[in-house]
Amino acid sequence: MYDLCQKSCNKCRGDESINLGAVQVVTPKDDEETLNEIVRDTFTYLTQDIFPNETLSKIHNSCINLQKDCVSYAAEDGNCDSDPDWARVNCPLACRQCENLEVSVRCPIDHNAPEALKPGELDKLFEGILTDEKFKQYGPRTISRPFPPANAVADSFYLNGPWVIIFESFLNDEECDRLIHFGYDTGYERSGTVGELQLDGTSEDIDVDESRTSTNAWCDDEKCENDPIVKKVLYRIGNVTGIPYVNYESIQILKYEVGQFYKSHHDFIETDVEFPAGPRILTFYMYLSDVEEGG
């Protein structure tokens, strides 16, 4: 088999630098002529379409066969097209799907799309929250801001830094209790952190990170997201921020026991800049319970 399928079997004589992934296994029912054609097409595709393309340079090491039967799988007519997501992740080389491992090819950014925020609009957003009469019912108060307000007085107190505003009365008791209920209803698990970008476009979930010891639950199913009380909270956030809740990540409900923590970190996720949705622009915390001291 190595004589017939040196490339796909990762047994290339005289060129050990090319990694083609898992050693391929074929069965007696596989058509030899078709397999040879797949092997030839694979090598041509790799050397002529993938390696010379600078746009695809980041996925060169990922353009491999992860399963041992990828060549046999690709040889059966229609397999690669019937489940392209599976083929892209498991057999991108044999199915010639490697270009779709590159996020800029798979999910290209529309550079003509309107910007979510233009220069200066974030400042305008926070200034509006502080000055608009309709938001005074929530008791907005400045914790930090990047520049003094236009009507600053001598005893004005705020930290010089990024925008941080606190609302003293954003949620009522019923809303807090409802969100807490869904946390327990969904079930709390050890909080993870975001890892490397995976081949399917998601990020690796690092289950245990010593910088984060809390537990969390997600309000990401229909039961929670469509709950009337939860929807009312989501609508209120959208009204204040000017961002519709369809553009939010799902609510993450966190539970901290005594001594648990999440160390200082940024909510910015570097790989998000490669996706059409873009990076996070705001973080909205809601404290559902209170303690006498600590935090």
Side-chain angles (χ1 to χ4, degrees):
M1 195 65 226
Y2 289 158
D3 290 332
L4 295 174
C5 302
Q6 295 175 26
K7 297 295 182 182
S8 291
C9 291
N10 195 26
K11 295 295 180 181
C12 307
R13 295 173 181 172
D15 191 355
E16 299 298 331
S17 64
I18 300 179
N19 176 22
L20 303 178
V23 172
Q24 296 297 290
V25 175
V26 298
T27 64
K29 70 181 182 68
D30 291 318
D31 180 71
E32 183 175 324
E33 183 178 345
T34 303
L35 292 177
N36 284 333
E37 183 180 352
I38 293 291
V39 172
R40 287 192 297 270
D41 290 347
T42 292
F43 186 65
T44 300
Y45 169 71
L46 192 64
T47 57
Q48 295 185 11
D49 297 342
I50 302 301
F51 285 171
N53 191 332
E54 292 185 7
T55 302
L56 305 178
S57 60
K58 290 188 293 184
I59 58 92
H60 285 179
N61 292 334
S62 303
C63 185
I64 59 176
N65 294 318
L66 297 182
Q67 306 296 327
K68 63 183 181 180
D69 59 349
C70 284
V71 172
S72 294
Y73 179 83
E76 290 191 30
D77 189 40
N79 266 357
C80 292
D81 295 328
S82 64
D83 192 352
D85 290 337
W86 187 93
R88 169 169 53 83
V89 173
N90 294 278
C91 301
L93 181 54
C95 287
R96 300 194 289 284
Q97 291 269 354
C98 292
E99 61 270 21
N100 290 318
L101 296 174
E102 169 56 47
V103 66
S104 65
V105 174
R106 187 173 73 253
C107 301
I109 295 175
D110 181 2
H111 295 286
N112 295 318
E115 298 174 338
L117 284 174
K118 296 178 180 178
E121 288 187 345
L122 192 63
D123 293 327
K124 188 184 298 184
L125 167 66
F126 279 93
E127 291 280 13
I129 291 172
L130 291 169
T131 59
D132 197 316
E133 287 292 327
K134 66 184 178 184
F135 298 139
K136 287 190 174 181
Q137 60 182 310
Y138 307 131
R141 179 166 57 87
T142 305
I143 301 299
S144 72
R145 57 180 298 154
F147 54 86
N151 59 347
V153 294
D155 60 351
S156 293
F157 176 77
Y158 62 89
L159 297 174
N160 185 25
W163 278 107
V164 178
I165 288 178
I166 188 171
F167 297 101
E168 299 289 359
S169 53
F170 192 78
L171 299 177
N172 59 38
D173 290 346
E174 180 186 32
E175 291 163 345
C176 291
D177 290 343
R178 194 62 175 161
L179 288 168
I180 292 172
H181 159 77
F182 277 115
Y184 284 103
D185 186 65
T186 302
Y188 287 96
E189 297 179 354
R190 172 69 183 266
S191 299
T193 55
V194 176
E196 297 293 325
L197 189 67
Q198 303 297 287
L199 293 181
D200 63 356
T202 62
S203 295
E204 178 189 11
D205 188 12
I206 301 176
D207 294 329
V208 177
D209 189 322
E210 295 306 317
S211 68
R212 189 181 192 187
T213 60
S214 62
T215 54
N216 75 284
W218 289 93
C219 177
D220 59 359
D221 58 14
E222 290 188 8
K223 185 178 179 182
C224 182
E225 289 190 327
N226 291 330
D227 181 81
I229 295 177
V230 174
K231 290 184 74 171
K232 187 166 65 172
V233 172
L234 291 170
Y235 176 80
R236 188 179 308 142
I237 296 172
N239 189 37
V240 169
T241 62
I243 301 171
Y245 71 81
V246 294
N247 296 109
Y248 305 164
E249 296 177 31
S250 299
I251 292 177
Q252 183 178 180
I253 306 168
L254 292 161
K255 182 159 69 80
Y256 288 90
E257 303 288 357
V258 175
Q260 290 184 332
F261 56 83
Y262 194 175
K263 292 183 178 179
S264 178
H265 65 284
H266 289 287
D267 266 359
F268 177 81
I269 299 174
E270 186 174 354
T271 54
D272 282 353
V273 300
E274 301 179 21
F275 288 91
R280 295 165 171 171
I281 56 174
L282 294 171
T283 299
F284 202 105
Y285 287 102
M286 295 178 288
Y287 292 89
L288 306 180
S289 60
D290 202 359
V291 292
E292 294 182 1
E293 62 181 15

